[in-house]
Amino acid sequence: MKVDVLEFDDNKVKLVVEGRLDTLTSPDFDAVVEPYLSVPGVNITIDIEKMDFISSSGLRSLIKMLKRINAANGQMSIVGMTPPVKEIFDMTGFSSLFLLLPSLDWVDSTTGEFKYYYLGKKI
Amino acid sequence: MRLPRFNSLSARISVTAALITAAMVAVAALCLYLTRCDWLLAHDAADPDLFTVSFHVLLRDTVVALAAAVVVLCAVVYYAVRRMMRPVEDFTDTAIEISRGNLDVAIPDFDGNSEMQRMHDSFCLMQQSIKRYTRDLEESVRQRALLMGELQIAGRIQDDLLAKTFPPFPDRDDVNIRAVLIPAKEIGGDLYNYLIHDDKLYFIIADVSGKSVPAAIVMAVACSVFNTVAPMSDDPAVIVSELNQSTCSNNSQSGFFITALVGVLDLRSHVLRLCNAGHDPAVLVSPAGEVSLLRITPNLPVGVVRDFEYQGVSMILAPGSRLVLYTDGITNSENSRHEFFGQNRLLECVDVLATDEITDFVDGILQRIDEFVMESEQADDFTIMVIDFSPSDVIMPGQMVLGSDIDELNKVNAFADAISQALAFNEMASMRMHLALEEAVSNILRYSLSQIARRSVKLYASVHANCLKVIISDIGKAFDPTGVDDADTDAPIDQRPIGGLGITLMRNISKSMSYKRLNDRNYLHLDFDVNSLRDLDRNFTQN
């Protein structure tokens, strides 16, 4: 597993996850995201388009993350869901917990400006 | 009055007889005296009572005198007999005391050279002899009990040499074995054994010539040689040669030999290699239920010629076959009419029972032998070993063994990849396979294992028709994941527990999950529907 972190203005963070998020790799993932979880009003978007696989350990990392971000009045969204991963989210009811967005070239790579809106808000 | 002391029994009897005679003479003399009296018996009519009175007086006096004589006689006889019998009574009491086990009781002593003294001496002699015999008997019983106890211990040790847990390989479902060995005495010279190494089944059935202790020692050596050599060579001819070398070098004096049938079955390629060293041919039951003798190149028995070159044969064992191996104790079982059970009867039994489940099959054959021999004593050790071969339809990755380290999960991924490749899974099916295995094994590695071990978890996969079966076994503490409730997948975020998702995922992906605890191991069986795993649009949330 590999996590690329892109930090933008306004507490915006983009995480690009590649490979497997499972029992072996989720502790590394937890360590990478830890610094951002307590930032008030943080807005984290996780790109999982290149994530091959997620197990319940990966799901646990995500739910812990969501609880922390909610407590910090932040926002968390997931983009680029592939059908196999979508199935795992569906089986565990995670699809309804997370803000899931389709895979799109959703951020300007030079300015970090978000191109899309969700619920009337530019994200 | 005190009679003179007569020690001899004959003297006592003589004295008693003399006394009785004297008493009788006295009575007779009294009677004679009475008859000789010059009494006149007259009748006086004027006094009719006179005669009556004097006659009555006379009669009374006579009766009283007689009665007194009889009483005296009885008393004398009684006293004499009592005195005479006393030593005999004393001896009787002593004998009763001895018979009660009191061997140290004093024998009544009678001085003088008499019958009683001789009886006393014989009693003493008898007492000493009984004491000596009892001591000898106790000692020999003790020795025998000791020997029997040691033989029984030896029997148990020998029994422990044999694999006895059935089914022997609950962590895989392609091979099942059932074996029974019944020694004719406490210990015997038959042996069977089997082991799986590197997805190959190694097995041996053998019969050491002779019985009891010497045969048992040769058997124990053969058993350990097999266990040591077997995993090092998958050629049964090599295993038999090693066995031969070791038996010849340990056996230069005693002249024992072993008939043996050794086989190696590659559970993945289905190749069966056999080497027969003078043993009875195995019986093969084909998947269609046809019964035949597996006649293969015979070799010399083990332990006869040191450098004999053993030849093996190889064949493909059809999936669904059953191999029946036995020692000649089975075919040589004899009934009271001196008829042997024989190979033909055995083949008939195998034919009748061919489709029975392995345990019923073996029990059925033993029962038929029992019915044949009836009450006759078992003359020879006998052994039967049955091997059922039901491999996967598709060649699967072999059994994978994992350590207890969490990093071993990488191997689980490789195992899931291998299954996916063997079954040409699409991306979705492969992901489902990965997910189910990772959840099952990570649960074990994180929660169940309390000790660090190199061989903690075993994975095995097989496919029969459309069913993919994965057996995961581990040495951890008992834990039944099938008893755990599903996580609440509808709860909102703040009420969601962090854990409990893995079992929900396994349950959703598999067709069925079952758990059992056997010999201190957990066995989790996951059955998957292969078509359903490949189904892209399968809606799991509806499960």
Side-chain angles (χ1 to χ4, degrees), chain A residues 24-56:
Chain A
L24 288 180
T25 57
S26 55
D28 298 339
F29 178 80
D30 292 346
V32 171
V33 300
E34 176 60 34
Y36 306 103
L37 300 184
S38 317
V39 178
V42 70
N43 183 348
I44 298 183
T45 306
I46 308 171
D47 182 351
I48 58 168
E49 192 168 8
K50 289 177 182 158
M51 187 168 82
D52 306 324
F53 175 79
I54 185 165
S55 76
S56 63

Side-chain angles (χ1 to χ4, degrees), chain A residues 20 23 56 60 67 87, chain B residues 413 432 438-439 446 496:
Chain A
R20 299 170 61 96
T23 306
S56 63
R60 272 197 291 277
K67 285 187 174 189
E87 181 175 278
Chain B
N413 296 336
R432 289 165 178 159
E438 142 117 22
E439 296 303 343
R446 279 188 303 193
R496 269 303 184 97

Side-chain angles (χ1 to χ4, degrees), chain A residues 20-27 51-68 70 82-98, chain B residues 406-410 413 427-428 430-432 434-436 438-439 442 446-447 488-502 504-505 508-509 535-538 540-541:
Chain A
R20 299 170 61 96
L21 187 57
D22 58 17
T23 306
L24 288 180
T25 57
S26 55
M51 187 168 82
D52 306 324
F53 175 79
I54 185 165
S55 76
S56 63
S57 303
L59 294 175
R60 272 197 291 277
S61 292
L62 293 181
I63 199 168
K64 277 189 287 186
M65 214 177 144
L66 182 61
K67 285 187 174 189
R68 293 273 301 276
N70 280 352
T82 55
V85 175
K86 177 76 163 57
E87 181 175 278
I88 301 172
F89 271 65
D90 287 347
M91 277 192 263
T92 50
F94 269 44
S95 307
S96 59
L97 287 182
F98 290 92
Chain B
I406 195 83
D407 285 340
E408 298 284 281
L409 276 173
N410 283 320
N413 296 336
E427 191 197 0
M428 189 63 101
S430 168
M431 194 270 322
R432 289 165 178 159
H434 272 268
L435 189 58
E438 142 117 22
E439 296 303 343
S442 68
R446 279 188 303 193
Y447 304 120
D488 181 359
T489 52
D490 295 324
I493 176 71
D494 35 311
Q495 285 156 33
R496 269 303 184 97
I498 303 288
L501 293 167
T504 306
L505 289 168
N508 275 319
I509 295 168
D535 183 1
L536 293 179
D537 298 323
R538 181 175 161 198
F540 284 98
T541 49

Side-chain angles (χ1 to χ4, degrees), chain B residues 517-535:
Chain B
R517 179 89 177 165
L518 210 67
N519 304 324
D520 294 331
R521 282 185 84 94
N522 296 307
Y523 291 89
L524 180 64
H525 287 234
L526 294 173
D527 288 2
F528 303 90
D529 184 308
V530 174
N531 290 338
S532 164
L533 279 179
R534 289 202 179 99
D535 183 1

